[in-house]
Amino acid sequence: MRSTKDKILTGLLTPASWLYGTVAGVRNWMFEQKILKSVEYDVPVIGVGNLTVGGTGKTPHVEYIVSHLAVGYKVAVLSRGYKRKTKGFVLANAKSTPSSIGDEPYQIYQKFNGRVIVAACESRRKGIEELLKLFPDLDVIVLDDSFQHRWVKPKISILLTDYSRPFYKDKLLPLGRLRESPRQVNRADMVIVTKCPENLQPISYRIASKDLDLMKFQKLFFSRYDYGELKPVFVDDAPYDVSLYEFTEKDAVMLLTGIAHPRYFVRYFRQYPFKVKVDHYPDHHDFSKRDIQDIEKKFRKLAGEHKIIVTTEKDAVRLMHNPYFPKELKPFTFYLPVNVRMVKGVDDHDLIEEIKNQIQK
């Protein structure tokens, strides 16, 4: 049963949620009536986004899409560059940092090592126009976290929803995590149910398909995460390779996270026999000197015959540029790579093939 405190909080937040929904609804209506106008470009634009505030796996899915398209297309990724300390259009280069372009664009740039053009800009229109000036031979532009940025009309709109908390079971901000009404799913060309469990049964795919109630033109896909081997955050300071399988119940791992929903990351480590301590910070957290000092203290107090710090890919790119991170901890700090794997759902569609077919139309 819900507590009295929860009921009071719901009562207080419900009017604000209604107001938020009204404002968002009016804005979408204005775009639909062409009072506010979306711009469509000659170059195919793929928008990847969600209806909720973070946590659906946008960046790993952008990387998955880009990794396949970059084989035969000249691809650019455009992001807002959330929490960067710069303004306007910024093109990623060898001197870029998470502060200059944002942690997620920096992660993408580093991962593809120059094979993909990456840029950040608050205005998606300006960002696309700048990219086309600099690279007129671009074949496709991928927009990261773009579903609410309706000033640009993408050729392909991809909407992500978390398997464990689908948007149709959520509520509008601030009562829930929705940025828009669940009805706006109709704007998507493709929907991906992300972070599916490894042992998902066929009946679960059918239930999800029925609950989403998509229109005939919309394609539905399912994906899950695959985790790789640990990699050092500070390559020059890593004296040895580490395998989690070598750790026993006498050892300990400190999980350091600054992502929206770390439960999948934490759950992965619970399968091992070693002790796990979680130190969680807000999404996109910029670790201060005091934060780093607290992390160091907690790590030193952690009991274990062998012990390491493990963080996420997104946190790793911020930590490697953090001036306060102590040299003594660098050899013991690793990150866990994550990859997206598409899984067979109700219909046997192939996401990349569907995207390529749409691009070529």
Side-chain angles (χ1 to χ4, degrees), residues 230-234 238-242 254 265 307-312 316 319 329-336:
L230 292 182
K231 293 185 178 181
V233 173
F234 304 94
Y240 55 87
D241 294 328
V242 169
M254 179 177 174
F265 180 74
K307 56 184 183 179
I308 58 172
I309 296 172
V310 180
T311 192
T312 68
L319 289 175
L329 291 191
K330 289 182 178 180
F332 305 99
T333 307
F334 300 82
Y335 72 91
L336 185 69

Side-chain angles (χ1 to χ4, degrees), residues 308-354:
I308 58 172
I309 296 172
V310 180
T311 192
T312 68
E313 280 191 276
K314 190 164 75 170
D315 294 306
V317 299
R318 277 178 273 121
L319 289 175
M320 68 175 63
H321 288 273
N322 191 296
Y324 309 115
F325 203 88
K327 186 173 180 62
E328 295 76 16
L329 291 191
K330 289 182 178 180
F332 305 99
T333 307
F334 300 82
Y335 72 91
L336 185 69
V338 61
N339 296 297
V340 166
R341 174 178 291 187
M342 304 305 296
V343 293
K344 187 176 179 180
V346 178
D347 300 311
D348 192 15
H349 299 302
D350 182 275
L351 176 67
I352 302 303
E353 288 304 314
E354 290 288 342

Side-chain angles (χ1 to χ4, degrees), residues 17-29:
S17 184
W18 287 343
L19 178 60
Y20 178 89
T22 299
V23 173
V26 168
R27 178 178 181 270
N28 280 322
W29 177 83

